């Protein structure tokens, strides 16, 4: 009788301290479990989650990108925006200022947004990787995979109605490695990311457009599709 009582007590104790911690070999993703994405989150709630995410990225270990970078480049724009833009990774200017798209490619991005009556107050911007790849190289497959859970969480927190992927790195990271930007651009794709669903469109990266200005006509087609979608979705550009 005494023994039975003891085993019930042990069971209750294990339940209380979460016996998974003792018996399960699977690694626990405590960060993932601690973030609860709810629709129409307030700005304060989003800012808290974003700040948690930023701290998590800051504490990444044994990362070649972080070792060589000056600053973490997290985001720019309006956290309540319904349009989110993803680039590849910070360049020298972004690394210096700690903000995405502030160099020459950023100036072109601003012009592209302006052409469809948008600016950084109506959108939210981030990148596939948050530290500058040395010598402006592309992030490696391994680096992309390492940063992808952060990017997906970032997208989940922002919960955009429209997600614009700039260039092949963002396209391949979010949609799939087999896709080629020249073929995949200008097409709407419904995509579930974590607990949210969003309309994704890919277009050319502004840095590519600076090298190949004859391709700007295609980027313009994509931008017009976004403008149309904004009306269709009746998106409030102030993010409310
Ligand atoms: N290119 C990118 O992909 N991201 C930036 O932030 C700047 C340039």
């Amino acid at each position: 009788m005494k023994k039975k009582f003891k085993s019930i007590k042990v069971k209750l104790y294990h339940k209380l301290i979460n016996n998974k911690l003792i018996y399960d070999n699977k690694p626990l993703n405590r960060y993932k479990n601690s973030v609860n994405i709810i629709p129409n989150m307030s700005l304060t709630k989003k800012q808290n989650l974003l700040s948690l995410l930023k701290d998590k990225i800051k504490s990444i270990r044994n990362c070649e990108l972080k070792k060589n970078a000056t600053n973490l480049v997290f985001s720019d724009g309006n956290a309540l925006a319904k349009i989110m833009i993803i680039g590849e990774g910070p360049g020298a200017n972004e690394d210096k200022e700690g903000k995405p798209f502030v160099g020459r490619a950023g100036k072109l991005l601003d012009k592209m947004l302006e052409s469809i009556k948008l600016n950084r107050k109506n959108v939210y911007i981030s990148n596939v990787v948050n530290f500058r790849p040395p010598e402006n190289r592309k992030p490696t497959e391994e680096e992309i995979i390492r940063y992808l859970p952060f990017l997906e969480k970032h997208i989940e927190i922002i919960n955009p109605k429209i997600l614009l992927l700039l260039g092949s790195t963002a396209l391949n990271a979010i949609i799939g490695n087999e896709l080629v930007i020249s073929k995949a651009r200008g097409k709407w794709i419904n995509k579930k990311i974590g607990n949210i669903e969003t309309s994704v469109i890919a277009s050319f990266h502004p840095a590519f457009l600076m090298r190949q200005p004859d391709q700007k006509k295609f980027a313009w087609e994509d931008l017009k599709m976004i403008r149309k979608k904004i009306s269709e979705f009746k998106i409030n550009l102030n993010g409310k």
Side-chain angles (χ1 to χ4, degrees), residues 170-196:
L171 169 73
N172 296 149
I174 295 293
I175 305 295
N177 255 340
E178 69 289 356
L179 299 176
V180 178
I181 186 74
S182 53
K183 296 231 170 73
R185 55 145 284 274
K187 291 173 189 149
W188 289 109
I189 305 164
N190 277 337
K191 174 90 184 152
K192 199 166 184 291
I193 299 171
N195 285 326
I196 67 126

Side-chain angles (χ1 to χ4, degrees), residues 52-147:
L52 258 177
L53 177 63
K54 197 173 173 181
D55 287 348
K56 194 77 194 167
I57 301 171
K58 230 185 244 169
S59 65
I60 198 165
R61 290 205 207 156
N62 301 323
C63 174
E64 171 82 6
L65 299 182
K66 181 181 162 180
K67 265 184 222 152
N68 287 288
T70 308
N71 280 304
L72 164 71
V73 178
F74 188 66
S75 68
D76 192 23
N78 180 355
L80 289 175
K82 297 286 181 266
I83 304 156
M84 182 168 180
I85 302 171
I86 308 295
E88 178 177 290
N93 294 295
E94 290 76 19
D95 181 47
K96 208 161 130 202
E97 287 191 37
K99 235 187 198 190
F101 284 100
V102 290
R104 283 177 61 223
K107 300 277 172 295
L108 179 54
L109 175 61
D110 287 339
K111 275 192 185 166
M112 289 161 73
L113 293 175
E114 207 182 307
S115 74
I116 51 165
K117 301 187 172 64
L118 295 178
N119 60 50
R120 290 190 189 218
K121 290 191 186 118
N122 320 125
V123 299
Y124 185 86
I125 307 174
S126 191
N127 279 307
V128 172
V129 295
N130 304 97
F131 292 103
R132 181 196 182 199
E135 318 295 330
N136 285 351
R137 65 161 169 78
K138 266 182 182 269
T140 63
E141 180 97 22
E142 208 181 39
E143 288 159 351
I144 293 169
I145 291 170
R146 192 146 185 223
Y147 280 79

